[in-house]
Amino acid sequence: MTNDFDRFGDLLDYPMYVVTAAADGDLAGCLVGFASQCSIDPPRFVVWLSVANRTYRVASRCEHLAVHVLDAGGHGLAALFGGRSGDLVDKFERVAWEPHGAEGTPVLREAAGWFVGRVRGHWPGGDHVGFLLDVVDVGPAAGSRGGLLAFSDVDDVRAGHPA
């Protein structure tokens, strides 16, 4: 059955996101493919983080997360946040970012657009945990509609952690 579902998944070309977090002085961020808006009113979004990932461990201690979309030219940023483990590399030394709010949630300057969401809850989903976010702030969208980095654009990025 897994192979059948893999073939179904191969048909999808969804947008990729970078999720960032800050807790107790720890910064973390990762490339995320499992995410979606899940409510219009109130505006809510869910991101699914791998339990093997350092970002999951930091995000589990956060009140807020930042979700970024990248434009089609954002492959380098995606490769950094998707292909390098925060357990081994300080990703934030290599990118321009600004702290947001009291927690200092990292907001990436190179992102096409971003929002910060308050964590409402967590839901286990297998090897990933969903973080339900209430949108509390939205940054400028510098990207163009339809020009976002997609899954097919990052198929060469090898994960810094196993799924």
Side-chain angles (χ1 to χ4, degrees), residues 68-139:
H68 307 79
V69 291
L70 308 178
D71 64 27
H75 187 275
L77 203 55
L80 174 63
F81 280 90
R84 305 298 299 268
S85 169
D87 291 324
L88 305 173
V89 172
D90 182 349
K91 299 173 190 181
F92 296 94
E93 284 184 346
R94 300 165 187 231
V95 296
W97 65 279
E98 297 176 4
H100 182 280
E103 285 182 310
T105 305
V107 172
L108 305 176
R109 290 185 190 157
E110 293 178 49
W114 58 269
F115 77 88
V116 171
R118 182 174 51 86
V119 178
R120 289 193 54 85
H122 311 97
W123 284 270
D127 57 8
H128 285 65
V129 170
F131 288 70
L132 179 63
L133 306 175
D134 277 336
V135 177
V136 296
D137 194 14
V138 180

Side-chain angles (χ1 to χ4, degrees), residues 28-61:
C30 65
L31 188 65
V32 172
F34 303 150
S36 179
Q37 182 174 349
C38 58
S39 175
I40 296 170
D41 187 17
R44 290 188 176 148
F45 199 88
V46 65
V47 295
W48 294 87
L49 301 178
S50 169
V51 298
N53 195 310
R54 180 176 187 277
T55 302
Y56 165 75
R57 295 190 304 274
V58 174
S60 295
R61 299 181 282 132

